Amino acid sequence: MAGVAGPATGSGAAGGDGDDSLYPIAVLIDELRNEDVQLRLNSIKKLSTIALALGVERTRTELLPFLTDTIYDEDEVLLALAEQLGNFTGLVGGPDFAHCLLPPLESLATVEETVVRDKAVESLRQISQEHTPVALEAHFVPLVKRLASGDWFTSRTSACGLFSVCYPRASIAVKGEIRQYFRSLCSDDTPMVRRAAASKLGEFAKVLELDSVKSEIVPLFTNLASDEQDSVRLLAVEACVSIAQLLSQDDIEALVMPTLRQAAEDKSWRVRYMVADKFSELQKAVGPKITLNDLIPAFQNLLKDCEAEVRAAAAHKVKELCENLPMEGRETMIMNQILPYIKELVSDTNQHVKSALASVIMGLSTILGKENTIEHLLPLFLAQLKDECPEVRLNIISNLDCVNEVIGIRQLSQSLLPAIVELAEDAKWRVRLAIIEYMPLLAGQLGVEFFDEKLNSLCMAWLVDHVYAIREAATNNLMKLVQKFGTEWAQNTIVPKVLVMANDPNYLHRMTTLFCINALSEACGQEITTKQMLPIVLKMAGDQVANVRFNVAKSLQKIGPILDTDALQEEVKPVLQKLGQDEDMDVKYFAQEAISAVAQRLRKLDFPVKDSEEPSAPGADKNHFLRPRGPGEDTGKVLPLISRHKETEWLEWLPRRQQRQPSLGVQVQPRDQHISCT
Amino acid sequence: MVPCNYRAQDDEESWVEVPRTLGCLLQSSLQSNMLGPWCSPTGSPAPLSCETGCGEGTWILVCRLLVPTQVSLLSMEEDIDTRKINNSFLRDHSYATEADIISTVEFNHTGELLATGDKGGRVVIFQREQESKNQVHRRGEYNVYSTFQSHEPEFDYLKSLEIEEKINKIRWLPQQNAAYFLLSTNDKTVKLWKVSERDKRPEGYNLKDEEGRLRDPATITTLRVPVLRPMDLMVEATPRRVFANAHTYHINSISVNSDYETYMSADDLRINLWNFEITNQSFNIVDIKPANMEELTEVITAAEFHPHHCNTFVYSSSKGTIRLCDMRASALCDRHTKFFEEPEDPSNRSFFSEIISSISDVKFSHSGRCIMTRDYLTVKVWDLNMENRPVETYQVHDYLRSKLCSLYENDCIFDKFECVWNGSDSVIMTGSYNNFFRMFDRNTKRDVTLEASRENSKPRAILKPRKVCVGGKRRKDEISVDSLDFSKKILHTAWHPSENIIAVAATNNLYIFQDKVN
């Protein structure tokens, strides 16, 4: 029997030399159960190739039954499988046979891993669209019912996500059944299922007839909103948004608002937090009239809630709330109803609340206009700029551009400068790092003069910071400044200072010079690089610390493309060759790397064949692991509580080796001496 | 983890029925002097039913299980057939090493499975034998279902600290699909394990023939899809999540929340809240660490969630107090909602007062209305609505009060005894020394001392109540306080969630007892 019967494609088509084309498929099939997860994953990802080779008939009768029972595998394999099956309709013979895909997806919808289950549900939803209305009732609806009445809550939670896709296309009788099943899941014994039902309530409401929404969904919603479990109640807040969108103003007032009011005053802070977090959506869903009557007072309460988490969430929403208010009377309303509460938050006891406010408060200036900003907001900005918590100050500084548009930054500069200086010298290096990143922005807004006068010295001080990450950021900062202010400015203010550091007794500072040159050379252009920087780099090739020497090699490789051929040939090459004979292994290695890169470039210049990519420096990124992780790695699954775990200072960068001759009278700062002995 | 398919075989041992009843012994074990300080429990006592209330009933040994030693575990992996031989190791006490000492026992929510953890970092899960017609007496017997190494010894290089592999606690998760899930913890790291069965395996390769020989690619003319065939049942344990790096001090408790999505872990000074899905962050909800460690006066000894109210939990302290916190009120629960403390009796004040008042275990009743605490000498039951004193106090081994000095010297005074409720909250059980364990019937106020020992407990034998002699004359069947063996202690016990089946851990032995009525 010819195994291959799929549509004609290059890879799987059966032909005279069938053996050759079968072999790779045979390997793929065997690797479906290889011990190596990566190979299994690879096979699953090529499942369509396998199916194509097997043909629709065998895919239905052999492959799918096998896959149905393959639920013992690793999550990532199952996830890939669930995803593949969503696009499999064509491979099992088109919409008429789409129901064949239901059994494997059904078993995937019961595994314990949420991501796999969710993906299986997503694929099921996709496939449901490919069913004919008859097939939907014959195959898909029974599947939903089976899942909804399953013994284990994993299957019941999966069922919750499937109601909304089969409801619109079902007959009236089946619709009634579906609603019945959904109702029973909303009052399931396990909170897991009630949570799943609550989170799909809004989605289900959208596909229901308006009458059913009022008669069935609203009571369910009310029940879930008064569930004994906090985790269920808080999901009802989200459903509130979707349900309110479907109802008329009067119905919202009568059916939704009592529950929403109750949620805004819930005993559990987590529910109130959710109301605060979803405030903008709620505001849009219920419309301006109810917002004015109900939501604004509720918002005021949230802004002075006893739980800091709730206040912080509400503070985050201040700007959006104000933006979404109706234009008419907006200004007075903000001034009278919101601003007094904001003023109190500025001196809140909790730093997270203050920093949440600081991240949005600047946005109010565009809404309130110049006069109000100067009169009312400016004092708040200034107070926050002087806040004891660095995060608050940072948030203000990072949003300066909003104010700049309205009143100009000069209004702030008096207070701005001390705040920046203080942050620049903060004991926590992450704070210093954050302010460095705003420097180019600030420089642009403040202008060259102001910058030279007040901030330039700070930027140079960072170059000799004792934390590597700061020094690294400082060099990048210089590059961005040069891009902003131009090469002439660089030549006059930055380059001389950087080059002076080449004679610093501390080898780490000497290396910083090299790093700066790496970063600046491109922005500064050929002339400055050749005339001012290159001599210094070449001179440093004689440094007694090997770390400096091999960084010289790396620098030469990096700036090679900017230099002209003469300089390369006459100055760089001899130095590299000398370094290539260095007694130190690493210096030799990097010198060799650089020599071959430079040689390649020289060849290319001699015989310009085509301008392909420049050789990249392989070792240039050696310290990538030292970069701090992003502060806000949010998984987005649990409520963002304020964690009390303290960040530990990142380990300082340790040089890889010791200086060979410490007796040469070179002074090394004690903090840089974490060096292993040889 | 290597999947391990192993069931203990006890077929070669003959089981002896011992038809004796010991009805009258219970009356004599009632000590009148213990009734004095008791308060009667709130509400009228529920009628005592045989099914649930027979705390002081007749208990028989169902089986004694030994956690397989490392030696036998190793050889089991090599060859399944050798396990019969290894069974002889199981019966031999000389093979019990420190690593085999059971450190926690826990039934799952149906009682079909029973998990133990030991000092060697292993978790052994026992499964209840299904009832069969020809072996009626074996009903209730538990056999090994799965064994796996949950924790390994580690070394914290930053703090130069050794981290023991000892399993401090095991908690089962509510069952969510055909697999079972449990949390196990050592001092620092909590792990979520999945225990699942597999009874099918795929057969048929394209590139290999049945014997595993490679086929010539040229001979492959058709594609074969593997087919699943039944095989022997295999139980495999896989680690699903590792919750690490959140505890500076030693974890003493873990507790699963009734919302099924979070759990907490408590160490000496802090309690953290975790989501089951998220391993890279946890939330600190209680922190009692003073700014200056010299001002430290108490530590957290145990913590547990309310069985139904997802927002409520309690934690006990070394000062003998219990705090109840409401997570609805605030994100940080440093301030308690309720504070349970019994005023100290000045007449009993001694050098050891503070040590013996330290609470070693706290448990909510299944109803969620009461909490039970165990301190060194007593078990107390507190009504959630009465903070100033316990509603019931039971003396576990008051005769040790005179021996506190020597117990302090041999460190026994710091032993952490656990306590458990029966399924209907009418009986409580806790351990003592000399392999004794105690049961107190809350309704009848009767209590009994039983012994879990190898010497006098043949399978199906009826347990004889024990009595410790206080005062001068020692009667027959009594044991004097001085001859108690303090190295044999029963710290960990568990009660089946709905039936009168108990599991008692005595060093490396696990005894399963059952009420005779069943």
Side-chain angles (χ1 to χ4, degrees):
Chain A
M1 170 181 163
V4 185
T9 60
S11 68
D17 51 357
D19 295 352
D20 286 345
S21 60
L22 279 184
Y23 184 71
I25 307 289
V27 172
L28 275 183
I29 293 178
D30 283 3
E31 281 181 352
L32 279 176
R33 31 195 284 236
N34 196 292
E35 279 179 20
D36 184 349
V37 184
Q38 207 49 50
L39 291 177
R40 289 204 302 274
L41 190 60
N42 191 36
S43 265
I44 287 284
K45 284 188 174 155
K46 297 204 176 107
L47 208 56
S48 52
T49 314
I50 297 176
L52 211 53
L54 287 171
V56 290
E57 175 85 35
R58 291 191 70 195
T59 300
R60 288 200 300 265
T61 55
E62 293 179 45
L63 185 62
L64 289 179
F66 171 70
L67 294 174
T68 306
D69 284 324
T70 326
I71 51 162
Y72 303 110
D73 215 322
E74 303 276 334
D75 298 334
E76 46 182 333
V77 178
L78 297 182
L79 183 66
L81 178 60
E83 190 171 5
Q84 289 284 318
L85 291 175
N87 302 313
F88 235 58
T89 313
L91 297 161
V92 293
D96 289 345
F97 296 95
H99 61 87
C100 298
L101 295 170
L102 300 182
L105 285 170
E106 184 178 351
S107 64
L108 286 170
T110 63
V111 301
E112 68 278 359
E113 190 58 51
T114 318
V115 280
V116 177
R117 242 168 31 224
D118 288 350
K119 186 55 88 180
V121 168
E122 198 186 310
S123 289
L124 279 171
R125 291 168 67 113
Q126 213 171 319
I127 288 173
S128 75
Q129 303 303 326
E130 282 152 0
H131 281 69
T132 58
V134 180
L136 195 79
E137 283 192 19
H139 300 286
F140 198 84
V141 173
L143 162 102
V144 176
K145 288 185 195 165
R146 264 200 310 281
L147 285 173
S149 51
D151 283 342
W152 310 118
F153 66 73
T154 46
S155 80
R156 299 202 297 276
T157 50
S158 293
C160 292
L162 296 173
F163 291 106
S164 62
V165 289
C166 50
Y167 188 83
R169 300 171 63 205
S171 64
I172 306 246
V174 175
K175 277 183 175 174
E177 274 186 274
I178 293 176
R179 289 201 302 271
Q180 176 57 40
Y181 271 97
F182 192 80
R183 262 206 303 280
S184 67
L185 290 180
C186 282
S187 52
D188 197 272
D189 288 341
T190 57
M192 280 290 189
V193 180
R194 294 203 302 276
R195 273 200 293 277
S199 63
K200 301 291 177 194
L201 189 66
E203 181 191 285
F204 190 52
K206 278 184 194 154
V207 299
L208 250 59
E209 300 78 13
L210 192 59
D211 284 347
S212 309
V213 172
K214 282 192 219 168
S215 63
E216 296 190 35
I217 295 291
V218 169
L220 290 178
F221 163 69
T222 318
N223 274 342
L224 289 169
S226 51
D227 196 278
E228 55 168 18
Q229 293 268 348
D230 304 356
S231 54
V232 179
R233 288 206 303 279
L234 60 88
L235 288 170
V237 176
E238 259 181 304
C240 192
V241 176
S242 338
I243 294 174
Q245 282 167 349
L246 303 171
L247 299 175
S248 67
Q249 284 286 311
D250 290 345
D251 286 336
I252 293 177
E253 182 59 56
L255 301 173
V256 177
M257 285 317 289
T259 311
L260 184 58
R261 279 186 212 115
Q262 183 193 322
E265 288 166 5
D266 196 279
K267 223 178 153 184
S268 169
W269 69 269
R270 294 210 290 166
V271 179
R272 299 197 304 271
Y273 174 96
M274 208 62 181
V275 175
D277 196 47
K278 296 275 165 226
F279 214 86
S280 314
E281 288 92 329
L282 287 169
Q283 189 187 359
K284 282 180 201 152
V286 299
K289 196 167 145 241
I290 296 178
T291 301
L292 297 189
N293 295 339
D294 265 291
L295 290 193
I296 297 288
F299 192 72
Q300 290 168 344
N301 284 336
L302 293 171
L303 282 178
K304 53 176 192 183
D305 197 275
C306 58
E307 172 57 45
E309 299 279 357
V310 179
R311 291 200 302 276
H316 260 302
K317 298 290 163 186
V318 163
K319 186 188 151 201
E320 269 182 80
L321 174 97
C322 294
E323 269 175 351
N324 293 334
L325 288 173
M327 288 302 281
E328 193 185 331
R330 181 165 81 171
E331 203 179 298
T332 33
M333 192 178 304
I334 297 172
M335 298 301 294
N336 297 334
Q337 309 239 33
I338 306 286
L339 204 62
Y341 293 90
I342 294 179
K343 281 181 180 161
E344 271 175 46
L345 285 188
V346 168
S347 50
D348 198 276
T349 48
N350 187 297
Q351 58 165 1
H352 297 276
V353 177
K354 286 187 289 188
S355 71
L357 183 68
S359 66
V360 294
I361 191 172
M362 308 292 267
L364 290 181
S365 53
T366 41
I367 302 170
L368 288 178
K370 191 171 176 180
E371 273 170 37
N372 282 325
T373 303
I374 292 175
E375 196 185 332
H376 296 284
L377 291 179
L378 199 57
L380 302 181
F381 299 159
L382 296 178
Q384 293 217 299
L385 267 179
K386 294 189 190 106
D387 199 278
E388 57 186 10
C389 164
E391 212 178 314
V392 176
R393 283 174 272 154
L394 266 179
N395 280 343
I396 290 288
I397 290 172
S398 60
N399 287 303
L400 279 177
D401 46 339
C402 314
V403 187
N404 201 16
E405 289 162 19
V406 184
I407 56 168
I409 208 164
R410 290 279 165 180
Q411 292 271 8
L412 279 173
S413 57
Q414 281 307 315
S415 315
L416 198 53
L417 201 63
I420 294 172
V421 172
E422 210 177 305
L423 286 170
E425 288 160 0
D426 197 282
K428 292 201 182 75
W429 68 266
R430 281 171 198 275
V431 175
R432 300 202 294 274
L433 187 66
I435 189 72
I436 291 175
E437 273 157 17
Y438 291 120
M439 268 302 155
L441 185 81
L442 282 172
Q445 287 172 358
L446 293 166
V448 164
E449 274 169 48
F450 188 89
F451 184 87
D452 276 349
E453 201 178 306
K454 316 271 180 169
L455 298 178
N456 197 5
S457 53
L458 280 179
C459 289
M460 300 315 287
W462 282 321
L463 287 176
V464 293
D465 198 283
H466 60 268
V467 176
Y468 177 79
I470 298 295
R471 297 199 296 272
E472 191 192 30
T475 49
N476 287 333
N477 175 43
L478 287 187
M479 182 180 74
K480 285 181 192 150
L481 290 175
V482 172
Q483 282 166 352
K484 206 155 234 149
F485 292 152
T487 47
E488 199 174 318
W489 176 82
Q491 198 174 359
N492 294 332
T493 51
I494 301 275
V495 176
K497 288 185 188 169
V498 168
L499 296 182
V500 164
M501 277 168 38
N503 300 320
D504 197 287
N506 185 334
Y507 81 98
L508 289 171
H509 298 172
R510 297 202 293 279
M511 289 205 323
T512 306
T513 303
L514 291 171
F515 297 145
C516 285
I517 289 173
N518 292 349
L520 292 177
S521 59
E522 203 172 328
C524 287
Q526 195 184 51
E527 200 192 324
I528 298 176
T529 308
T530 318
K531 289 209 174 128
Q532 298 193 0
M533 296 177 178
L534 185 61
I536 301 290
V537 178
L538 296 175
K539 204 182 102 201
M540 289 169 83
D543 201 286
Q544 76 256 24
V545 178
N547 295 46
V548 177
R549 292 202 300 279
F550 76 65
N551 271 301
V552 166
K554 279 157 78 173
S555 286
L556 288 174
Q557 183 178 351
K558 175 97 193 189
I559 63 174
I562 298 157
L563 301 172
D564 59 31
T565 336
D566 290 345
L568 276 180
Q569 194 73 35
E570 282 156 30
E571 298 181 63
V572 175
K573 221 172 159 188
V575 170
L576 280 177
Q577 269 157 356
K578 188 167 157 264
L579 286 175
Q581 308 297 318
D582 200 280
E583 58 182 21
D584 186 277
M585 222 173 67
D586 292 311
V587 179
K588 252 193 251 179
Y589 170 78
F590 285 109
Q592 295 299 345
E593 293 264 295
I595 287 170
S596 60
V598 167
Q600 209 176 345
R601 170 153 169 84
L602 284 175
R603 261 203 310 281
K604 234 184 259 170
L605 287 177
D606 289 344
F607 316 100
V609 186
K610 64 173 178 191
D611 226 8
S612 67
E613 73 279 35
E614 295 295 339
S616 62
D621 220 353
K622 243 190 157 183
N623 296 313
H624 62 93
F625 58 87
L626 292 162
R627 276 195 207 120
R629 274 180 290 161
E633 285 171 318
D634 194 2
T635 51
K637 276 189 185 160
V638 277
L639 284 174
L641 306 170
I642 295 166
S643 172
R644 258 193 271 175
H645 292 298
K646 288 200 188 86
E647 291 171 334
T648 45
E649 282 270 276
W650 217 255
L651 284 177
E652 286 192 25
W653 182 68
L654 307 176
R656 298 178 318 127
R657 56 180 57 246
Q658 173 147 37
Q659 279 175 261
R660 292 287 153 72
Q661 296 135 321
S663 60
L664 280 175
V666 181
Q667 253 194 320
V668 179
Q669 283 183 6
R671 70 165 84 252
D672 289 315
Q673 282 181 324
H674 329 271
I675 295 171
S676 64
C677 293
T678 43
Chain B
M1 182 58 21
V2 183
C4 175
N5 172 29
Y6 172 72
R7 282 161 191 275
Q9 302 293 314
D10 282 314
D11 297 328
E12 52 277 2
E13 188 166 323
S14 61
W15 294 80
V16 184
E17 286 275 2
V18 185
R20 269 192 299 166
T21 47
L22 296 155
C24 59
L25 274 163
L26 286 166
Q27 264 80 14
S28 64
S29 68
L30 256 180
Q31 297 179 2
S32 56
N33 62 340
M34 282 163 44
L35 288 166
W38 290 0
C39 311
S40 62
T42 50
S44 57
L48 199 126
S49 81
C50 280
E51 183 59 27
T52 52
C54 306
E56 85 286 27
T58 338
W59 290 83
I60 53 171
L61 176 68
V62 176
C63 50
R64 182 171 62 85
L65 300 156
L66 275 119
V67 173
T69 61
Q70 299 279 13
V71 184
S72 53
L73 257 183
L74 282 177
S75 44
M76 250 158 31
E77 280 157 20
E78 287 160 14
D79 186 356
I80 292 173
D81 288 336
T82 58
R83 68 189 180 195
K84 293 232 161 121
I85 306 163
N86 293 321
N87 243 1
S88 62
F89 287 138
L90 302 189
R91 321 222 157 270
D92 196 336
H93 257 292
S94 61
Y95 276 87
T97 59
E98 177 78 9
D100 295 322
I101 295 175
I102 296 172
S103 54
T104 180
V105 187
E106 187 80 5
F107 277 103
N108 78 342
H109 295 267
T110 59
E112 288 305 302
L113 298 179
L114 172 66
T116 63
D118 64 25
K119 286 194 173 175
R122 276 166 307 148
V123 171
V124 181
I125 299 170
F126 299 93
Q127 187 186 37
R128 191 173 185 184
E129 199 65 14
Q130 294 308 307
E131 195 156 14
S132 61
K133 284 206 177 102
N134 48 359
Q135 285 180 309
V136 183
H137 66 273
R138 299 195 57 158
R139 168 85 176 128
E141 194 178 317
Y142 282 76
N143 283 322
V144 175
Y145 179 65
S146 171
T147 305
F148 57 90
Q149 188 75 34
S150 169
H151 287 72
E152 303 273 359
E154 286 176 84
F155 192 79
D156 182 340
Y157 293 95
L158 284 178
K159 297 191 183 117
S160 289
L161 272 180
E162 269 185 65
I163 302 168
E164 278 183 54
E165 67 272 34
K166 178 188 160 211
I167 309 289
N168 288 344
K169 279 283 185 307
I170 289 177
R171 287 288 176 267
W172 291 90
L173 267 59
Q175 201 169 357
Q176 51 179 332
N177 59 12
Y180 301 96
F181 289 83
L182 61 85
L183 286 173
S184 63
T185 184
N186 67 351
D187 286 340
K188 298 285 175 191
T189 307
V190 185
K191 292 184 181 178
L192 175 67
W193 288 89
K194 174 187 180 180
V195 181
S196 55
E197 294 181 356
R198 180 187 285 207
D199 58 359
K200 284 182 191 155
R201 70 193 164 100
E203 275 178 9
Y205 280 101
N206 283 298
L207 305 181
K208 285 187 268 187
D209 61 18
E210 307 311 322
E211 279 86 49
R213 283 186 302 251
L214 280 181
R215 281 192 199 143
D216 178 7
T219 63
I220 298 171
T221 51
T222 53
L223 292 171
R224 291 168 45 151
V225 178
V227 188
L228 290 159
R229 302 242 183 263
M231 63 163 188
D232 286 344
L233 184 70
M234 193 167 90
V235 180
E236 50 187 9
T238 35
R240 298 292 303 183
R241 301 266 192 282
V242 177
F243 305 91
N245 303 325
H247 284 277
T248 316
Y249 305 95
H250 290 181
I251 299 175
N252 53 46
S253 341
I254 43 178
S255 176
V256 178
N257 193 333
S258 59
D259 67 7
Y260 293 15
E261 71 173 353
T262 53
Y263 76 90
M264 67 175 170
S265 55
D267 69 20
D268 298 338
L269 294 177
R270 298 195 178 102
I271 300 177
N272 291 338
L273 183 71
W274 300 83
N275 186 299
F276 280 116
E277 309 250 306
I278 297 162
T279 56
N280 62 356
Q281 55 183 356
S282 77
F283 300 109
N284 178 244
I285 46 176
V286 174
D287 186 352
I288 62 163
K289 186 171 183 257
N292 178 5
M293 278 298 263
E294 280 165 19
E295 291 160 16
L296 184 72
T297 55
E298 63 180 329
V299 294
I300 298 170
T301 53
E304 195 182 44
F305 269 121
H306 191 281
H308 317 302
H309 298 195
C310 62
N311 49 282
T312 312
F313 68 92
V314 293
Y315 65 92
S316 60
S317 91
S318 56
K319 277 188 164 172
T321 59
I322 309 117
R323 289 176 177 84
L324 183 137
C325 300
D326 185 350
M327 295 200 294
R328 288 178 302 187
S330 160
L332 304 175
C333 301
D334 293 343
R335 263 181 299 173
H336 52 260
T337 313
K338 288 187 177 183
F339 182 68
F340 300 89
E341 186 181 29
E342 187 178 32
E344 195 183 23
D345 179 3
S347 64
N348 268 338
R349 174 107 198 120
S350 75
F351 172 71
F352 302 108
S353 299
E354 200 162 316
I355 302 176
I356 62 169
S357 66
S358 173
I359 292 176
S360 54
D361 195 16
V362 59
K363 290 268 165 66
F364 268 105
S365 64
H366 295 87
S367 68
R369 286 188 51 204
C370 303
I371 42 179
M372 162 168 62
T373 57
R374 169 74 209 257
D375 55 37
Y376 192 61
L377 294 178
T378 65
V379 179
K380 293 180 177 129
V381 176
W382 306 74
D383 189 305
L384 279 191
N385 296 319
M386 188 157 79
E387 296 171 51
N388 56 353
R389 62 195 159 93
V391 286
E392 295 155 38
T393 302
Y394 301 99
Q395 302 296 334
V396 178
H397 37 214
D398 203 44
Y399 44 79
L400 295 182
R401 202 174 277 281
S402 58
K403 302 193 61 90
L404 290 176
C405 216
S406 55
L407 289 165
Y408 179 78
E409 268 156 28
N410 63 11
D411 273 352
C412 281
I413 203 166
F414 300 107
D415 283 335
K416 295 192 80 178
F417 291 98
E418 292 172 9
C419 51
V420 288
W421 299 89
N422 75 338
S424 61
D425 300 335
S426 58
V427 183
I428 54 189
M429 171 171 65
T430 189
S432 176
Y433 292 104
N434 204 45
N435 276 350
F436 286 173
F437 59 98
R438 304 265 288 145
M439 284 188 199
F440 305 93
D441 190 308
R442 297 177 59 210
N443 297 325
T444 62
K445 297 296 170 212
R446 292 176 182 174
D447 66 281
V448 65
T449 305
L450 299 169
E451 183 181 2
S453 77
R454 222 160 71 91
E455 289 74 26
N456 59 1
S457 56
K458 292 196 182 110
R460 315 310 286 183
I462 290 173
L463 284 192
K464 213 169 125 186
R466 297 284 166 174
K467 196 158 181 248
V468 178
C469 127
V470 277
K473 226 175 98 188
R474 190 166 76 88
R475 278 183 293 179
K476 194 170 161 261
D477 281 350
E478 283 188 351
I479 179 165
S480 87
V481 177
D482 294 318
S483 54
L484 291 174
D485 184 345
F486 290 107
S487 69
K488 292 181 178 167
K489 41 193 133 189
I490 290 182
L491 302 176
H492 314 285
T493 58
W495 201 306
H496 189 288
S498 54
E499 291 178 40
N500 276 335
I501 296 176
I502 54 170
V504 176
T507 54
N508 65 329
N509 288 270
L510 181 68
Y511 293 88
I512 313 256
F513 301 107
Q514 191 178 19
D515 199 325
K516 182 88 176 22
V517 187
N518 284 359

